[in-house]
Amino acid sequence: GNQTDDIYKILTKALRNSTLEMPYRGPEKLVDANMMYKNSVNGDFTNFSGEEQIFDKEKLVYTARYIGGLIDQ
């Protein structure tokens, strides 16, 4: 398939597979055919940052950084 389609297919699958223990984007690792999604996060739900990456075989084809946390009330 088209690489862009493959990237968004595994990204969508990863986002649907977050857990209560790690609700930041997707799981730590997810493999689907030749595609692999990795997510590393620092902090906890009050203040966190992370990076997700997608590999096609061994080649990095997508990366995104994110931040979040609670807003002072």
Side-chain angles (χ1 to χ4, degrees), residues 10-73:
I10 194 166
L11 181 58
T12 300
K13 189 173 186 177
L15 296 177
R16 290 181 178 157
N17 281 280
S18 63
T19 64
L20 290 175
E21 296 79 26
M22 192 170 165
Y24 323 98
R25 303 289 293 172
E28 190 172 340
K29 183 176 178 182
L30 178 70
V31 177
D32 186 14
N34 292 331
M35 306 298 284
M36 179 173 57
Y37 171 93
K38 286 186 171 183
N39 181 20
S40 61
V41 64
N42 298 305
D44 62 24
F45 72 94
T46 63
N47 184 12
F48 62 88
S49 63
E51 181 177 44
E52 57 187 4
Q53 299 175 317
I54 296 176
F55 297 83
D56 185 348
K57 298 182 178 85
E58 300 291 319
K59 182 182 176 190
L60 179 64
V61 293
Y62 172 92
T63 187
R65 293 185 179 98
Y66 57 88
I67 59 171
L70 296 178
I71 299 172
D72 290 338
Q73 308 236 348

